[in-house]
Amino acid sequence: METTAHTPSPSPSPTRTPSAGRPLKLAVVVASNREGRFAPVVADWFTSRARRHTGFTVDVIDPARTELPTALTGDPSPTHRELLAEVGARLAAADAFAVVTPEYNHSYPAPLKNLVDWYHAEWHAKPVAFVSYGGVSGGLRAVEHLRQVFAELHAVTVRDTVSFHQAWGLFGDDGEPLDPAGPDGAAKKMLDQLGWWGRALRTARAEHPYAG
């Protein structure tokens, strides 16, 4: 009996969500608004590396330029309500966050805590990375406190950080590290991890909205 060969149908292509190819929206959150702060040097350096890294668009949220009210209230003034809505929309639009923080008294600055506490769902199911700077500790004690805070907000913190120990002596007048190889390598590794988590969690949120 003659049989007819059957050519199997090609396997279906993997399902791709509409967002799969879009760049990740990275919000760089600057923690300090102290007078004479070193934050802009570190934040500008990191932002330049994030913009060079494939796959990110960058928005910088700076408490020195975005002065949120310090009294948490359910009835802010019209001016504050408008400002809170504007910052909230930027946080909600982000797929990932990078927090640039110094260390104040073994922890992180009050303006950052204020910004974090005004919002809740905007942080949910998104990755957070840290760039820290300071003296001997390089700001790492601030980072360890922040990991606990963001865990409470249903966010995922990436393992690797970028830290600058005795930061004030590590940058030249042009705002670039005097020895760029180490910081650049650390930034790339952290951004690679942040990108992986950002894409994975963006897809997960699109397919299964997070119930926080």
Side-chain angles (χ1 to χ4, degrees):
M1 179 171 131
E2 187 176 318
T3 59
T4 303
H6 175 68
T7 302
S9 300
S11 300
S13 299
T15 301
R16 291 174 62 88
T17 61
S19 66
R22 285 193 291 106
L24 293 169
K25 296 179 180 178
L26 173 62
V28 176
V29 180
V30 183
S32 172
N33 66 355
R34 176 180 282 182
E35 184 177 354
R37 64 190 179 146
F38 194 67
V41 175
V42 181
D44 289 349
W45 168 81
F46 176 73
T47 299
S48 72
R49 271 48 182 185
R51 287 184 169 134
R52 293 179 195 173
H53 192 282
T54 303
F56 291 108
T57 61
V58 181
D59 178 26
V60 179
I61 300 175
D62 186 344
R65 297 181 175 85
T66 307
E67 296 186 10
L68 299 180
T70 56
L72 298 176
T73 173
D75 187 25
S77 70
T79 300
H80 285 156
R81 190 177 299 115
E82 182 177 346
L83 178 59
L84 288 162
E86 187 263 333
V87 174
R90 291 165 69 185
L91 295 174
D95 298 304
F97 304 101
V99 176
V100 180
T101 184
E103 182 178 313
Y104 291 176
N105 299 319
H106 283 219
S107 193
Y108 55 94
L112 175 59
K113 188 65 162 71
N114 187 52
L115 187 150
V116 168
D117 287 350
W118 268 112
Y119 304 98
H120 192 66
E122 290 83 356
W123 308 107
H124 284 183
K126 296 178 183 179
V128 185
F130 301 103
V131 180
S132 66
Y133 62 95
V136 174
S137 73
L140 291 174
R141 289 174 291 208
V143 170
E144 292 309 306
H145 286 185
L146 284 166
R147 291 190 189 279
Q148 299 175 62
V149 172
F150 281 106
E152 177 64 19
L153 292 166
H154 303 259
V156 177
T157 59
V158 303
R159 190 268 183 196
D160 285 78
T161 64
V162 179
S163 61
F164 292 96
H165 303 256
Q166 305 293 1
W168 301 270
L170 300 179
F171 288 81
D173 293 339
D174 59 355
E176 289 292 312
L178 297 174
D179 183 5
D184 284 358
K188 182 183 184 306
K189 184 175 182 181
M190 189 186 75
L191 286 163
D192 286 346
Q193 293 179 6
L194 189 62
W196 189 95
W197 280 106
R199 288 186 294 274
L201 290 174
R202 181 173 65 182
T203 298
R205 291 194 310 274
E207 295 178 354
H208 306 284
Y210 185 75

